[in-house]
Amino acid sequence: MTDNGEARRRTGRRGLWIIAGVAAVGATLAVVGIWHLPPRMYPATDQSEARAALQGGLLTAAAALLAVAGGLIALDETRQANAEIRRANENTHVRELYATAIGLLSSPTVDGRLGGIYALERVATDSPADQRTVVDVLSAFVREHTRPSATSDGAALATDVQAALTVLGRLPMRPKGPRADLSGTRLTRANLTDAWLPWADLRGARLVEATLVDARLGWANLAEASLERADLTGARMGGSVLIDASLAGANLHCARLTGANLTGASLERADLTEAVLDGADLAGAAALTQAQVDAALGDGKTRLPAGLVRPAAWGREESEDE
């Protein structure tokens, strides 16, 4: 059941009730007309038969319109009952699938755990209301399987952990829906290409040599995250928090960091070629060079560390009050 389908059903139901209302109003007018219209149209005493015929016609019209209104109301009630049955069946299907998926996540085999992960993706797709639960479960799965005691620093990600990350990164966008709590995880060399993770919690995550090409990380919390040598080409990171993050050797070519906070972030040897830094705060960034600044794109609201020269193409520096 999709949101668009629900909207179409609401629109169709509204249309039925409008037509039923019009029919009911028409029936009421016909009934009123039975008593008032014939005498006005046929006032002569010798026109009684005409008055009776008109009254009969109005009565027939009123009965027909009432039948139409009643039929439409009955049709709507039938549709509602059928919809309730469908929802009950869907809920039963979702509950059974969710229970199966949770059981598979603890399977001793990789194939079993993969089945559980993809079953949870199906749950989130079929039941938007359950996406928050699915995100929480998959996030916990990744955190549990990437703890220091579960994996060594620098080791490649397990197949099932990568699958969980892939699902988290491609789940449908929902209003106010969570986009993963991956704080403190070890995601060395993880592949998050094209991942949709706005507002994700990645505080303290180790994303060393991770691939985040074209990832959506707007407003994500990456404070104290390790992104050394990560590929962030074209990543959209507007408004993200990168306080004290390490971006040493990271590829930020054409990345969008509009309004990002890089206070205390290390940018040693990071590639900022054509990176968009409009409104970004780099005033407290570490190891930022003039060559990196000259290769990037900024504006008057971009904050730079003392001693670095603002490129002329960025325009004059604007005060915080402007």
Side-chain angles (χ1 to χ4, degrees), residues 1-304:
M1 179 172 57
T2 65
D3 294 339
N4 287 338
E6 184 64 28
R8 285 194 297 270
R9 280 189 288 273
R10 285 197 299 268
T11 301
R13 188 183 184 199
R14 190 181 305 116
L16 277 179
W17 277 96
I18 290 173
I19 296 172
V22 170
V25 170
T28 302
L29 292 174
V31 171
V32 172
I34 290 173
W35 305 105
H36 297 282
L37 192 58
R40 292 177 181 273
M41 293 185 64
Y42 304 106
T45 56
D46 59 350
Q47 293 180 311
S48 58
E49 291 184 3
R51 285 199 298 270
L54 180 57
Q55 287 175 330
L58 289 171
L59 182 61
T60 301
L65 289 170
L66 284 174
V68 169
L72 290 172
I73 292 172
L75 176 61
D76 179 66
E77 291 177 348
T78 301
R79 285 184 174 181
Q80 287 295 102
N82 291 337
E84 289 296 330
I85 294 172
R86 284 196 301 270
R87 279 193 289 270
N89 291 336
E90 289 172 357
N91 289 337
T92 300
H93 158 72
V94 168
R95 286 195 297 270
E96 292 176 349
L97 185 58
Y98 178 79
T100 300
I102 293 300
L104 287 171
L105 285 183
S106 58
S107 170
T109 68
V110 173
D111 289 345
R113 295 192 295 275
L114 288 174
I117 290 165
Y118 293 125
L120 284 173
E121 181 179 20
R122 179 64 181 271
V123 169
T125 302
D126 289 354
S127 178
D130 292 310
Q131 181 163 320
R132 177 179 292 276
T133 300
V134 170
V135 168
D136 289 343
V137 170
L138 290 178
S139 296
F141 179 87
V142 173
R143 292 196 305 272
E144 181 67 20
H145 289 79
T146 58
R147 294 180 304 164
S149 60
T151 181
S152 59
D153 195 19
L157 282 183
T159 303
D160 51 355
V161 174
Q162 178 60 64
L165 287 172
T166 300
V167 170
L168 284 170
R170 72 186 182 199
L171 285 175
M173 291 295 296
R174 308 289 185 199
K176 300 181 181 179
R179 297 308 300 182
D181 178 1
L182 301 172
S183 56
T185 51
R186 294 193 175 198
L187 305 176
T188 300
R189 295 197 291 278
N191 185 353
L192 288 164
T193 301
D194 288 321
W196 286 74
L197 292 170
W199 295 285
D201 188 350
L202 289 155
R203 289 173 296 170
R206 293 191 60 80
L207 289 152
V208 178
E209 297 182 0
T211 301
L212 294 128
V213 176
D214 293 327
R216 276 74 164 178
L217 293 164
W219 306 102
N221 191 342
L222 289 148
E224 299 183 2
S226 299
L227 291 152
E228 294 93 341
R229 301 179 301 284
D231 190 352
L232 290 150
T233 302
R236 301 177 189 180
M237 306 174 70
S240 59
V241 177
L242 289 152
I243 296 173
D244 295 329
S246 176
L247 290 153
N251 184 356
L252 290 156
H253 180 76
C254 291
R256 300 186 65 85
L257 290 150
T258 305
N261 188 343
L262 290 107
T263 302
S266 173
L267 292 163
E268 183 180 3
R269 303 184 312 281
D271 184 357
L272 295 175
T273 305
E274 297 185 9
V276 179
L277 303 174
D278 294 357
D281 187 355
L282 294 97
L288 183 64
T289 67
Q290 188 64 51
Q292 289 172 307
V293 171
D294 292 340
L297 306 175
D299 65 1
K301 294 184 178 180
T302 306
R303 301 285 174 257
L304 292 175

